[in-house]
Each structure stands twice: as C-alpha cells, then as structure tokens.
Amino acid sequence: MKIVRNRWLPGRKFVAFNFFGLLVCRRGTPITPATVNHERIHTAQMREMLYVGFYLWYVAEWVVRLCKKGNAYYNIGFEREAYRHMYEVDYLSRRRHYAWWKEMRKKT
C-alpha cells in the first residue's frame, strides 16, 4: 500500500484515511502495521464496491447512523469489519466478499 504523507490531511482527529487505495496521513504520524492492515481491508471493500459505490454507501450509512444511538463512525459496517480484523495479518487471504454486510446488520 502506497503511503502519502502531507502537512494538512487528515484532520487531527484521524491517523490516516484511504483515498482510492492510497493511505494518506500527516507527516510525522506513526503508522502501525495494524493501521496499514485496517486500510488494506478498506481497499478490499472498495474494490468489491467499485470504489465509488463504497464511498456512496459509506456516507449514506454514516448519515443513517447519525440518527441512531452510539458513535456513527464506529458503527458503519465497513469500519466494524476493519477494526475487528485489523490485527489479523492473514485476514485478507481468508476474507469473504462483502464480509462487511454481516457487520452492518449486527446490533450496536
């Protein structure tokens, strides 16, 4: 995964974000193997949703979850899958397509 470091993005609240398979982070921010794996999981999700579909679904689900109990960001199905498996180095080799769907349906 290619890592792009800059002075501005992402905001101070976030370590990094995935932009069409590129990991964007602030200069000087330590990037752990778990963070890289988390973002690789997002890249796999993006590929199966044809990138644009991923971003549209992500925003739509975030908006819906804003109206519900709990943290909207952490309750997005994509994020749940990525956080749940970010420490499993071999996860992507055994991951099933659309694994995030199961996470999305779980109660918060």
Side-chain angles (χ1 to χ4, degrees), residues 6 14 29 34-36 49-50 59 65 83-84 98-99 106:
N6 67 77
F14 300 98
T29 302
T35 301
V36 172
M49 298 281 295
L50 303 176
V59 170
R65 298 219 181 254
Y83 277 109
R84 184 179 309 274
Y98 300 97
K106 289 182 181 176

Side-chain angles (χ1 to χ4, degrees), residues 1-4 17-24 39 43 46:
M1 171 167 269
K2 183 162 172 73
I3 299 174
V4 177
F17 72 91
N18 189 328
F19 184 71
F20 292 93
L22 293 173
L23 182 60
V24 179
E39 298 304 334
T43 299
M46 287 177 197

